[in-house]
Amino acid sequence: MLLQRSLLFLSILCIAPALYAKDIDVTKYGAKGDSTTLNSAAIQKAIDDCSSAGGGKVIFPAGKYLSGTIVLKDNVTLFLHKNAVILGSINVEDYQNLDPFMDGLGTDVGWALLVAVDAKNIGIEGEGAIDGQGSKLKAAHILTDTRPEGQRWGRRPFLLRIVRCKNVTVKGVTLYYAAAWTSHYFQCSKVNIEKVKIVSRGVAHNDGIDIDGCQDVKIKDCDIDSGDDALCFKTTSSKMACRDIEVSGMRLRSGHGAIKMGTESMAPFENIKISDCYIYNTNNGGIKLLTVDGAHLRNVEISDIMMVEVKTPILVRLGSRLSVFRKGKDEQQPTGTLDNVVIRNVKAIASDSAQL
């Protein structure tokens, strides 16, 4: 009898999270999809309550929900119905920076529209979209920020930042017009990105997907059209490698590089497989592998790639820039290495202005 009671108790513990999981409609919390009401507080309250109750879905019906920074919490998935749009505010003061760092150009960055820090079991799914209104935000920003453009751009928010999170799913949604990087995943594990469409042009630094020191990552069947690098692997910290990553079925167009490792490159890039990708109308590199800040780039396989109208089909570089991106939290690394890198079955039709 005692054994039976113990087993029953354990069973109740196992199913308890599911009992508390629920779906929350943001409009029930006062959010208005009218494109003018600032909904940051209402959306955040819905997320907080959903997470506190054990998790579930925070649902956005059709409409345009204007917002500043939203913080995603444990066990919560944002679900955007068709024609539902989270619309980024064009006022930079509506954004927070929960994890500041410096990019490869020495600019302070990290503000974001949608951010998660040290969270688990989170997601963004559905047929809806997130629109950063990057060009409009820039136009408003430069009216009051008189610094040189190379310094002030970093104050503009990323569209999506996922920092030190575990079990992350981003699926089906469309990401539009970031004011800086479109999506940045930093030191995360167990990340699944699938059937995501990105259209992000109009301002500088519009990277598509940035995977920064993440492990156990799968990216599949995404369509990226970005002003800056489309699919970029970085290590802005020496503490965690980009490791155990699989990418397939990508369609990529970029104003710079389509598939890139670096230039931010302090920790290793290793055990990475990229296959079955179509690259087109790309103004710089189709495949760019750059370790310049100490990274060991090894056990990387890139295969079955088709390129059309690409200026530099393949570029590989080992250098010694040796930058540090998190001042006071990291230290300069020695020069890295390139080892066991395989690029095979690549067909490229270079543009007329191809670079040698």
Side-chain angles (χ1 to χ4, degrees):
M1 180 63 72
L2 180 60
L3 177 60
Q4 288 177 333
R5 288 177 179 174
S6 298
L7 290 174
L8 177 60
F9 177 70
L10 288 173
S11 298
I12 292 171
L13 285 179
C14 290
I15 65 173
L19 294 176
Y20 289 101
K22 63 178 182 177
D23 294 346
I24 291 178
D25 184 327
V26 293
T27 63
K28 304 301 183 184
Y29 279 70
K32 300 183 185 301
D34 59 10
S35 77
T36 56
T37 302
L38 188 67
N39 294 292
S40 314
I43 296 171
Q44 192 62 60
K45 177 63 172 170
I47 291 170
D48 293 348
D49 284 0
C50 185
S51 181
S52 296
K57 293 180 180 178
V58 172
I59 296 173
F60 291 77
K64 294 184 177 181
Y65 300 87
L66 186 70
S67 184
T69 295
I70 304 165
V71 183
L72 198 54
K73 302 291 183 66
D74 286 357
N75 305 312
V76 173
T77 293
L78 301 189
F79 189 88
L80 283 68
H81 279 292
K82 187 176 182 179
N83 298 322
V85 180
I86 297 175
L87 197 63
S89 167
I90 63 171
N91 182 356
V92 295
E93 299 303 324
D94 289 332
Y95 296 94
Q96 303 171 44
N97 189 346
L98 302 185
D99 177 61
F101 73 105
M102 185 180 293
D103 87 321
L105 301 175
T107 304
D108 291 325
V109 294
W111 287 264
L113 172 56
L114 182 58
V115 62
V117 179
D118 298 316
K120 61 181 182 298
N121 307 323
I122 59 173
I124 306 167
E125 299 183 11
E127 297 181 69
I130 305 172
D131 185 344
Q133 302 196 97
S135 294
K136 289 182 179 180
L137 187 147
K138 176 182 177 179
H141 180 219
I142 63 178
L143 293 177
T144 57
D145 191 334
T146 59
R147 292 177 297 167
E149 179 62 14
Q151 297 174 14
R152 68 185 171 195
W153 81 264
R155 180 61 181 82
R156 297 173 202 151
F158 296 6
L159 200 68
L160 172 63
R161 282 205 73 205
I162 308 296
V163 178
R164 297 186 301 274
C165 295
K166 184 174 182 180
N167 292 329
V168 178
T169 298
V170 181
K171 184 176 180 180
V173 294
T174 299
L175 307 180
Y176 286 122
Y177 307 114
W181 297 359
T182 305
S183 58
H184 179 223
Y185 303 80
F186 175 67
Q187 291 188 347
C188 297
S189 61
K190 297 188 181 303
V191 177
N192 182 54
I193 305 169
E194 185 175 352
K195 295 182 179 177
V196 171
K197 181 177 180 180
I198 293 176
V199 180
S200 196
R201 290 178 175 266
V203 300
H205 312 289
N206 278 152
D207 287 16
I209 296 176
D210 288 308
I211 303 297
D212 185 351
C214 296
Q215 302 183 357
D216 193 4
V217 177
K218 289 181 172 57
I219 307 173
K220 181 179 179 182
D221 298 336
C222 297
D223 188 336
I224 303 175
D225 181 356
S226 61
D228 211 321
D229 301 321
L231 174 62
C232 188
F233 301 90
K234 305 172 180 287
T235 48
T236 59
S237 166
S238 68
K239 311 301 183 187
M240 188 177 291
C242 270
R243 180 184 295 132
D244 300 329
I245 297 170
E246 295 182 9
V247 179
S248 64
M250 306 292 283
R251 182 178 171 88
L252 306 169
R253 177 175 182 245
S254 170
H256 285 273
I259 297 170
K260 183 180 178 185
M261 296 183 193
T263 48
E264 294 97 326
S265 49
M266 295 190 71
F269 303 99
E270 54 192 6
N271 304 337
I272 299 174
K273 291 185 177 182
I274 302 172
S275 64
D276 189 26
C277 297
Y278 179 74
I279 299 169
Y280 67 105
N281 296 359
T282 290
N283 292 343
N284 200 307
I287 298 170
K288 300 177 71 174
L289 307 180
L290 309 162
T291 170
V292 297
D293 301 316
H296 301 289
L297 198 156
R298 56 199 173 201
N299 302 331
V300 172
E301 180 180 310
I302 302 175
S303 64
D304 302 311
I305 309 295
M306 181 69 200
M307 303 185 202
V308 177
E309 291 294 317
V310 176
K311 281 190 175 181
T312 307
I314 298 174
L315 172 65
V316 181
R317 179 187 175 198
L318 172 62
S320 293
R321 180 180 66 175
L322 306 182
S323 292
V324 176
F325 307 102
R326 294 172 182 266
K327 305 298 184 183
K329 298 181 180 179
D330 218 330
E331 58 186 26
Q332 191 177 67
Q333 301 297 297
T335 302
T337 60
L338 284 159
D339 182 34
N340 193 27
V341 176
V342 176
I343 302 174
R344 61 180 175 81
N345 196 21
V346 174
K347 299 178 181 179
I349 300 174
S351 66
D352 291 339
S353 57
Q355 300 167 324
L356 299 178

